[in-house]
Amino acid sequence: MSSQTTQSQTAQSPWQTAALLVARLIFAAVFLMAVTFKFMGMGDTAGYIAAAGFPFPLFLAWCAALLEVALVLCFLTGAFFTPAALVAAAYVLFLGFSFHGPSHWVANQAEFGFFVDHFSFLAGLLFAAVHGPGRVLSLNLGWPGRA
């Protein structure tokens, strides 16, 4: 481990602490909003999934909702943060291609913007996975060596 990595894990400025907490709250809020909409209209979510051509849409809608609840809990608590951020990154990439990918651009050019937005979110999740949840208000459970 480099001295810079060791130093960054031992000394964290107040603005870094605040930035990590705000980022975790933003990640949690995005997935909380998504899961809230699912719970408010699980049938609508299933219809959207079916329209994309996936089988068992209601089952998949419930799976997505449960995943999103788990992600919210991980982002809020910091528990299993790095694995959660990586799972969220894979999920966001899947959603981007499945629901806003190139096949959707011909019918609606705005879909390209939605597609690109997923990559901005993906970049943030990958960055978060590398840097972890921080030490403040974080359970710091997860992969070995990540204290």
Side-chain angles (χ1 to χ4, degrees):
M1 187 178 300
S2 72
S3 62
Q4 184 178 15
T5 303
T6 304
Q7 182 182 10
S8 69
Q9 289 177 348
T10 57
Q12 192 176 73
S13 71
W15 77 265
Q16 289 172 317
T17 299
L20 284 168
L21 289 173
V22 168
R24 284 175 43 202
L25 289 173
I26 291 170
F27 290 142
V30 168
F31 286 107
L32 182 61
M33 286 186 288
V35 76
T36 299
F37 288 128
K38 284 178 182 60
F39 286 137
M40 288 174 27
M42 196 60 74
D44 294 335
T45 300
Y48 191 65
I49 292 170
F54 290 99
F56 313 110
L58 187 59
F59 173 75
L60 292 177
W62 277 102
C63 288
L66 294 174
L67 172 64
E68 290 168 358
V69 166
L71 292 173
V72 168
L73 293 173
C74 290
F75 290 136
L76 287 178
T77 66
F80 307 103
F81 183 85
T82 295
L86 291 173
V87 167
Y91 181 59
V92 165
L93 187 63
F94 166 77
L95 294 175
F97 276 100
S98 297
F99 296 98
H100 307 288
S103 65
H104 301 271
W105 302 345
V106 174
N108 182 357
Q109 289 184 342
E111 290 293 337
F112 178 74
F114 298 136
F115 179 75
V116 171
D117 287 346
H118 281 71
F119 283 89
S120 299
F121 194 36
L122 171 67
L125 288 164
L126 292 174
F127 198 82
V130 169
H131 291 281
R135 292 185 321 276
V136 175
L137 297 175
S138 177
L139 294 177
N140 278 317
L141 301 174
W143 288 353
R146 209 59 196 172

